[in-house]
Amino acid sequence: HLQDERAMEVIRKLQSITKDQERPHTGMGMAFSRYKNSGTYCAVAARVAMNVKNAEVQKMWAVIDAGEVINLNGIRNQIEGGMIQSASWTLQEQVHFDEAHIISRDWATYPIFRFGQVPEVEVTVLDRPTEEAMGAGEAAQGPAAAAIVNALYRACGKRVRDLPLVTNLK
């Protein structure tokens, strides 16, 4: 349904990178967005394994077109961090309350990814030297979350629309 050639190229590139990445007992999900509808193109794929208690994001891939690349490592780092942050939000982050107070008041009590939970990430940047540089910003957060829930659906057949997933998989 896309008309935009750059959008289609980002999606096609992601499809070619991930075509052989599905594993037994996992689901693969993909998502695409154009940051703020007119900025960076970003497509993300996620491989999710489902067990009795929770979902685990095993690996994530992104393809990004941010126009002319000024700082390749900066773009990669921004997108890697965005995918990991989004995976943490999607799977488990939430403020906890008791009857009267917030009880997740520090990093020890707030549910956030620990290093052992961080999935492997891979970012491909399409350089467009003849196009205006758009910056990477937070281009990965939206499609990363969508790719994870799409992968979860493929893994277990359950469509979850409320986050975090940890409280909505039961």
Side-chain angles (χ1 to χ4, degrees), residues 90 160-165 167-168:
T90 302
V160 179
R161 292 183 170 84
D162 295 314
L163 302 180
L165 296 178
T167 60
N168 292 294

Side-chain angles (χ1 to χ4, degrees), residues 1-149:
H1 300 282
L2 286 172
Q3 306 288 316
D4 187 323
E5 286 296 323
R6 289 172 72 180
M8 290 186 286
E9 185 172 349
V10 165
I11 293 168
R12 285 186 192 118
K13 181 68 173 175
L14 183 64
Q15 287 174 322
S16 74
I17 291 168
T18 60
K19 70 178 185 244
D20 297 322
Q21 293 297 323
E22 195 154 356
R23 302 288 183 265
H25 312 293
T26 66
M28 287 288 291
M30 292 185 154
F32 166 81
S33 76
R34 186 141 185 227
Y35 187 58
K36 296 186 178 181
N37 296 322
S38 61
T40 297
Y41 299 83
C42 185
V44 176
R47 184 175 62 225
V48 172
M50 188 68 207
N51 66 35
V52 176
K53 294 184 178 183
N54 60 18
E56 174 195 0
V57 180
Q58 295 180 332
K59 186 166 181 179
M60 299 176 78
W61 299 261
V63 176
I64 183 170
D65 174 349
E68 181 181 15
V69 174
I70 307 299
N71 181 344
L72 180 60
N73 283 337
I75 289 175
R76 279 196 182 121
N77 294 337
Q78 189 72 26
I79 299 305
E80 288 172 358
M83 288 192 297
I84 293 165
Q85 181 183 43
S86 186
S88 183
W89 291 339
T90 302
L91 287 170
Q92 66 190 38
E93 287 189 40
Q94 65 181 350
V95 176
H96 292 282
F97 301 88
D98 64 13
E99 296 76 33
H101 303 93
I102 295 173
I103 58 173
S104 52
R105 301 182 66 85
D106 55 34
W107 292 119
T109 58
Y110 181 76
I112 191 169
F113 270 11
R114 303 300 186 222
F115 284 114
Q117 297 170 290
V118 173
E120 182 181 351
V121 293
E122 184 178 312
V123 177
T124 300
V125 179
L126 303 180
D127 189 9
R128 305 274 188 203
T130 61
E131 300 290 340
E132 180 180 336
M134 293 187 269
E138 295 178 336
Q141 277 83 337
I148 291 167
V149 296

